[in-house]
Amino acid sequence: MPVADPWRQIMTILLRLISLLLGCALIVAPSYLLRLFASSLGEHLEARTFSSFLAPTLTIGLALGSGPLLIGLPRLVAGARTPGTRIVAGLLMLVSGAGFLTIGFDGYLTRVFTPAVLLIEAILFAFFIWPAWRFSAGKACADGQRTD
């Protein structure tokens, strides 16, 4: 067993944990932040209006956070076993990145938050999604190398 394997496993677990937390935070954040904004303007949302307010903001949150959330789930985006899931996760990461570039640099907080999220998403994309190009229909080993 090479020395780098435990460090690779620790790094993978840490990246998946960060991805899972980032995905959950990005799904919940638009609804929560827009509700805080509405409350700061003095418009307290009642139960009926909150449900109509929650649907569009939750959809935005799902568009922003489902890519990192999908990567964070263990063994879902892993190796050559799940190429379709990797493609879906990669496309969702691109949608999330494009969404952050579109909405992102509006206020002071988002000028700090957006580059951090984009950097984390770029690292996750490079570590989990990009290596999929070398997988093909041929047999693949556990380390991702082809055995043709």
Side-chain angles (χ1 to χ4, degrees):
M1 180 177 195
V3 177
D5 281 342
W7 294 109
R8 183 183 298 170
Q9 289 176 347
I10 290 170
M11 183 180 67
T12 303
I13 290 170
L14 183 63
L15 282 174
R16 287 207 190 264
L17 182 63
I18 289 170
S19 178
L20 191 64
L21 292 174
L22 179 68
C24 290
L26 291 178
I27 288 173
V28 175
S31 298
Y32 180 71
L33 292 174
L34 286 174
R35 188 173 194 296
L36 282 179
F37 180 70
S39 295
S40 72
L41 294 176
E43 300 203 13
H44 300 288
L45 299 174
E46 298 173 6
R48 192 175 76 212
T49 58
F50 182 66
S51 64
S52 64
F53 176 78
L54 184 63
T57 55
L58 192 59
T59 305
I60 293 169
L62 283 171
L64 293 177
S66 49
L69 184 66
L70 193 63
I71 288 175
L73 296 173
R75 302 239 181 240
L76 197 56
V77 178
R81 293 177 296 224
T82 57
T85 311
R86 278 188 148 186
I87 292 170
V88 169
L91 291 174
L92 288 171
M93 291 289 282
L94 291 175
V95 166
S96 177
F100 269 103
L101 287 175
T102 303
I103 318 170
F105 296 103
D106 210 13
Y108 175 73
L109 179 64
T110 54
R111 285 185 193 150
V112 175
F113 184 68
T114 299
V117 169
L118 288 174
L119 178 67
I120 292 170
E121 285 187 352
I123 291 169
L124 292 172
F125 189 87
F127 190 78
F128 291 108
I129 305 299
W130 186 254
W133 68 270
R134 65 179 170 199
F135 299 131
S136 68
K139 297 178 183 176
C141 294
D143 63 351
Q145 299 297 325
R146 291 180 51 174
T147 60
D148 292 336

